[in-house]
Structures are given as C-alpha cells and as structure tokens.
Amino acid sequence: MTEIPLDKIDRKILAILQADGRLTNQEVAERVNLSPSPCLRRIKRLEEAGVIRQYVALLDPDKIGLGLLAYVNVRLEKHSEAGAHSNARALGAQNAPVSPRADFAVSVEQWPEVVACYAMTGEMDYLLRVHVEDMDHFSRFMMATLLRHPAVLDVKSSFALQRIKDTTALPLL
C-alpha cells in the first residue's frame, strides 16, 4: 500500500465529502475555494487512487430493527498442517485443503449479521462486529452459524450498552 501525497486542499475536500458525500462538485468547489474543473480533477484523482473507496448511505441500525450490537472475539483452531496446505496450493495441487483462517474468512463474507471482521493480534484471532435484532437473533446466529463453523474453537462476546461515538470519518491530520 502506497500513500499518495495529499495537500491541504485534498484534505479539505476529503473532510467535506466525509461529512456529506452527496454534495455536488460545485458545492465542494465553493467550500474549498476552487473552480469546479480543478476540484473535479482532484476528486477523480482521489477516487482513482483508492483514497475515496466508495460513496454510501449510512443507515441507523435501530431504525431498521437491528438494535443489538455485539463484538465477538473468535479464536480458531490451529492446524500444524496449515503451512502444508498453502505449500500444496502454491505447488499447483488442485484440491489442496484450505487453511482454517482462509476458510473462516470466506465464510464470514457470507454472514450478513457480521458487518466488520478484523484479523487481530493477541489471544484471539478475529474481532467481529455483529448487528442483530435482539438476543434471540444473536443466539440463533451464534448457535446455527458461528459456533458450527469447523475452525471456531472459542468465542467471547460483548454487547454495546450505549453509543458514545460512532463515526466513519477518518482523522485528516
């Protein structure tokens, strides 16, 4: 991953778009004191470089019936042959077994309740952010999905009691 150089105007454009991605190019240009053409060129450059990944609508989970937020630490079983699986695939073996980590990562992509998944350092392997309707929904997800995954060895769950800060805006220093 290479960083691209961002000047003061680029950072200001990014801050504006993080706050409101629906602004027109004209509105962004006015706020950064540029004419529309150079502003649009800067935005296109930021998009093409991957600095701006996408534009989305952020939904309020409570208003769509997903009022329970859980953070789940997951520990996977460690297979000593995991390195052999990778080596077999690298050597071109057709049906080489998939490592538990790779299999888990593929599975997580299919679980709609999991809105974020991070590989972690420390005692646990993954941290999941899970949005569900209620405790019954969480229980069903745990029992029928997460705990049935063959690589899952242990889980520890914590529930959000109150939202203190929740932002998608990154600090632009």
Side-chain angles (χ1 to χ4, degrees), residues 3-168:
E3 279 186 40
I4 69 160
L6 301 174
D7 64 17
K8 199 175 196 177
I9 295 172
D10 290 332
R11 291 179 188 282
K12 194 168 183 183
I13 289 170
L14 292 171
I16 289 166
L17 290 175
Q18 282 191 119
D20 186 353
R22 293 185 73 184
L23 291 175
T24 66
N25 180 59
Q26 178 72 39
E27 292 169 318
V28 175
E30 288 171 7
R31 292 184 187 191
V32 296
N33 296 318
L34 280 179
S35 60
S37 293
C39 184
L40 185 59
R41 279 194 299 273
R42 283 176 178 264
I43 291 172
K44 291 292 181 202
R45 180 179 62 85
L46 293 167
E47 291 170 347
E48 289 166 5
V51 175
I52 298 173
R53 290 188 315 190
Q54 68 187 83
Y55 297 91
V56 299
L58 299 175
L59 308 180
D60 184 328
D62 293 329
K63 297 209 166 128
I64 60 169
L66 298 173
L68 186 62
L69 171 59
Y71 289 89
V72 182
N73 287 291
V74 179
R75 188 165 46 125
L76 302 182
E77 46 183 58
K78 308 285 190 255
H79 289 300
S80 59
E81 67 272 11
H85 299 319
S86 301
N87 292 338
R89 277 195 308 283
L91 295 172
Q94 284 298 339
N95 293 319
V98 177
S99 74
R101 284 175 123 11
D103 184 44
F104 183 78
V106 168
S107 295
V108 165
E109 289 289 335
Q110 307 307 310
W111 301 337
E113 295 89 348
V114 178
V115 297
C117 174
Y118 299 95
M120 304 296 288
T121 62
E123 191 177 308
M124 301 303 253
D125 297 310
Y126 290 94
L127 176 64
L128 310 179
R129 190 172 80 226
V130 177
H131 278 279
V132 290
E133 296 169 8
D134 52 26
M135 193 57 86
D136 286 338
H137 186 178
F138 182 76
S139 179
R140 286 191 310 275
F141 168 72
M142 291 295 287
M143 303 302 273
T145 305
L146 185 59
L147 293 174
R148 286 201 179 189
H149 191 282
V152 172
L153 184 64
D154 186 27
V155 298
K156 293 183 179 165
S157 303
S158 299
F159 298 95
L161 298 176
Q162 181 182 21
R163 184 178 311 148
I164 306 300
K165 179 177 182 180
D166 183 12
T167 182
T168 60

